[in-house]
Amino acid sequence: MDLMKDLGVEVYKDAARPAVSEVGAVAGRTVKALLAPIRGFLWCWEKIEDYVEKEVQKRLEKVPEERLKSPDPEIAVPLLQSLTYTAQNETLREMYIALLANSMDKGKENIVHPSYVEIIKKMNRLDALLFEKLSEESGYRMIVNPRISISGTNKFIAGVLPEWYLGWTIEEYDEFSISASLVRLSKFGIIDLMYDRSINGADYQGLWHTPFTEKMLEAQKFLRPYDSLEITATNSVVFVNDYGKQFRQACR
């Protein structure tokens, strides 16, 4: 009986092997196919060197020769490494090139810092575009923390509106993506989100009631016909701080 049992186990194992092997092979081919497009995003050093040389040359062609210097390795080395996998992203690529060129200009070395490389590495395209738009104006900007509240109570419907709302978006991105990007930028240290701090004399009501917030309110009224719902919000501010301003100078 033990012999038959052992034989049965071996037969089972042998029968199972081809199936397992086949599944593994199929999965392997699938993963390989899924990873294949990434190869096109990995630039070899020769391609990076050629691109960087041309683009940095353009940016430095009007800089007097006596102001030129080799970049500090703590900036150049991680920057060039990052370009191997972000060079396909034009927005981030241009920031890297600007930072490298400015690090080679003695007249701008006081605004360049190694930490800026890490900030760009953490960014996606939306973060870069949103930061640039926020940087177009100096000083405080109005921002609100909107809610759909149940009238006459302290209750509100969670998750229906974004945590932070500027009243505008960037093409291809929605209000929730903008809110998440704002939080990331604040964690990078280049903007400040100041909750419940408002700008004196500013009219925040326009941010409380926009086509977007009203649309979300109407949708909730349809889902909750027995509740009396309204838009409420906390008035807040957002601004690009000094670190962020210097980061922008160094990367453009």
Side-chain angles (χ1 to χ4, degrees):
M1 291 295 293
D2 291 339
L3 178 61
M4 291 301 293
K5 185 186 293 184
D6 293 341
L7 183 59
V9 170
E10 290 303 317
V11 169
Y12 173 78
K13 286 181 179 179
D14 288 342
R17 280 191 189 112
V20 172
S21 177
E22 183 178 347
V23 170
V26 170
R29 288 198 298 272
T30 301
V31 171
K32 186 174 182 179
L34 292 173
L35 291 175
I38 301 300
R39 296 174 190 164
F41 290 91
L42 296 174
W43 281 22
C44 63
W45 168 247
E46 289 76 14
K47 189 170 184 179
I48 290 176
E49 186 177 31
D50 182 59
Y51 171 77
V52 168
E53 183 179 343
K54 290 177 182 177
E55 294 302 313
V56 171
Q57 181 66 41
K58 290 178 187 177
R59 289 179 174 270
L60 296 179
E61 60 185 2
K62 295 183 180 180
V63 178
E65 189 173 348
E66 62 270 17
R67 274 175 43 184
L68 299 180
K69 71 179 189 70
S70 293
D72 294 332
E74 60 266 33
I75 292 175
V77 173
L79 187 155
L80 293 172
Q81 288 175 334
S82 297
L83 272 175
T84 62
Y85 55 85
T86 57
Q88 297 292 337
N89 187 321
E90 182 180 359
T91 305
L92 301 183
R93 184 178 71 214
E94 290 181 355
M95 294 177 73
Y96 278 130
I97 292 298
L99 179 59
L100 181 60
N102 287 333
S103 73
M104 298 170 68
D105 181 350
K106 294 177 183 177
K108 295 183 178 180
E109 60 183 347
N110 63 321
I111 65 168
V112 175
H113 194 273
S115 63
Y116 297 159
V117 178
E118 291 302 312
I119 292 176
I120 303 173
K121 281 177 65 175
K122 294 175 183 177
M123 284 182 159
N124 62 14
R125 178 174 178 270
L126 171 57
D127 298 334
L129 292 175
L130 179 58
F131 178 73
E132 181 61 26
K133 189 168 178 62
L134 291 173
S135 299
E136 290 173 357
E137 294 181 18
S138 60
Y140 291 162
R141 278 179 178 262
M142 290 188 297
I143 192 170
V144 295
N145 309 93
R147 296 173 293 277
I148 294 180
S149 300
I150 301 174
S151 303
T153 73
N154 293 323
K155 299 178 180 179
F156 63 91
I157 306 171
V160 176
L161 291 173
E163 181 183 0
W164 297 91
Y165 182 57
L166 286 162
W168 47 265
T169 60
I170 290 174
E171 188 177 359
E172 300 179 13
Y173 300 99
D174 64 19
E175 288 79 2
F176 292 90
S177 297
I178 296 292
S179 178
S181 181
L182 285 165
V183 175
R184 287 195 297 272
L185 293 175
S186 70
K187 290 183 179 297
F188 299 161
I190 53 180
I191 70 168
D192 284 342
L193 291 168
M194 302 182 70
Y195 181 79
D196 200 18
R197 294 280 298 275
S198 58
I199 303 171
N200 289 335
D203 181 13
Y204 278 86
Q205 285 298 308
L207 289 183
W208 286 38
H209 302 284
T210 67
F212 169 73
T213 58
E214 294 296 333
K215 178 182 177 181
M216 302 302 282
L217 175 61
E218 291 305 313
Q220 289 302 309
K221 284 182 176 180
F222 177 78
L223 295 173
R224 305 168 70 105
Y226 301 107
D227 288 327
S228 177
L229 304 178
E230 62 180 348
I231 298 288
T232 61
T234 300
N235 297 334
S236 301
V237 297
V238 57
F239 68 97
V240 177
N241 55 36
D242 287 344
Y243 183 51
K245 291 174 184 175
Q246 192 175 81
F247 169 74
R248 184 180 186 238
Q249 282 183 285
C251 299
R252 67 191 307 253

